[in-house]
Amino acid sequence: MDFISHYSSPLGPITLSSNGEALTGLWFDGQKYFGSTLPEHREEQDCPVFRDAFRWLDLYFEGRDPDFTPPLAPKGSVYRQKVWKSLLEIPYGQTVTYARLAGLIPTSPRAVAGAVAHNPISLIIPCHRVIGTGGALTGYAGGLEKKRYLLRLEGAL
């Protein structure tokens, strides 16, 4: 059984999902690919991982770098898992280009962009820290205004 919960952020409502042990999703309500990994049957319920995620989000939106990561279990292909794991290595307050990220995997920037766009655990898996060549703010499923806000919050802009 999958579970969901909700968080009110300065950027609007966020929906979280869990398998009961780990976070499986975190989306801004209405974003592109919202709920893409949510099963049809789910239940709203409090889980310890949601409390951990809420604490992480509270710290983050206070402009602080959370010193922990809640348990994560994003659903996706082996390739996407590899890209999402590399996103977790981008430090708070820093950015990396799609081309640089592609060079670390190695693959094409276009393939990386597709995996980044389908990240089911926004914010905690920091896809907003990936930018275009020359610092262009491109490709954020939550919208470029949210991406700009998040990067400013972290001091990366």
Side-chain angles (χ1 to χ4, degrees):
M1 172 63 79
D2 282 59
F3 306 102
I4 61 168
S5 192
H6 304 278
Y7 179 87
S8 293
S9 84
L11 295 173
I14 291 174
T15 297
L16 299 93
S17 67
S18 170
N19 60 13
E21 300 291 323
L23 211 57
T24 57
L26 188 156
W27 304 271
F28 287 105
D29 288 9
Q31 80 172 51
K32 191 173 186 179
Y33 310 118
F34 174 84
S36 60
T37 59
L38 276 176
E40 186 176 321
H41 300 289
R42 55 193 181 257
E43 181 179 307
E44 190 146 346
Q45 183 175 326
D46 184 33
C47 299
V49 71
F50 289 145
R51 290 190 294 275
D52 288 344
F54 294 161
R55 191 165 52 93
W56 190 98
L57 290 164
D58 286 345
L59 290 168
Y60 182 82
F61 283 116
E62 289 170 4
R64 297 166 48 193
D65 180 7
D67 62 352
F68 70 99
T69 302
L72 304 176
K75 299 173 186 174
S77 69
V78 172
Y79 174 75
R80 286 183 177 177
Q81 296 280 345
K82 191 173 186 178
V83 172
W84 300 334
K85 184 177 179 184
S86 67
L87 294 176
L88 286 165
E89 297 172 12
I90 305 169
Y92 179 93
Q94 295 185 30
T95 60
V96 66
T97 65
Y98 289 97
R100 172 90 172 108
L101 195 56
L104 298 174
I105 297 204
T107 190
S108 76
R110 175 166 276 178
V112 165
V116 170
H118 287 85
N119 170 19
I121 305 179
S122 296
L123 298 174
I124 295 175
I125 298 178
C127 52
H128 61 280
R129 295 181 188 151
V130 184
I131 59 173
T133 304
L137 297 185
T138 60
Y140 189 60
L144 292 182
E145 291 173 17
K146 285 183 175 79
K147 184 171 189 164
R148 188 173 290 109
Y149 177 96
L150 299 170
L151 292 174
R152 283 188 178 137
L153 180 68
E154 294 184 20
L157 280 184

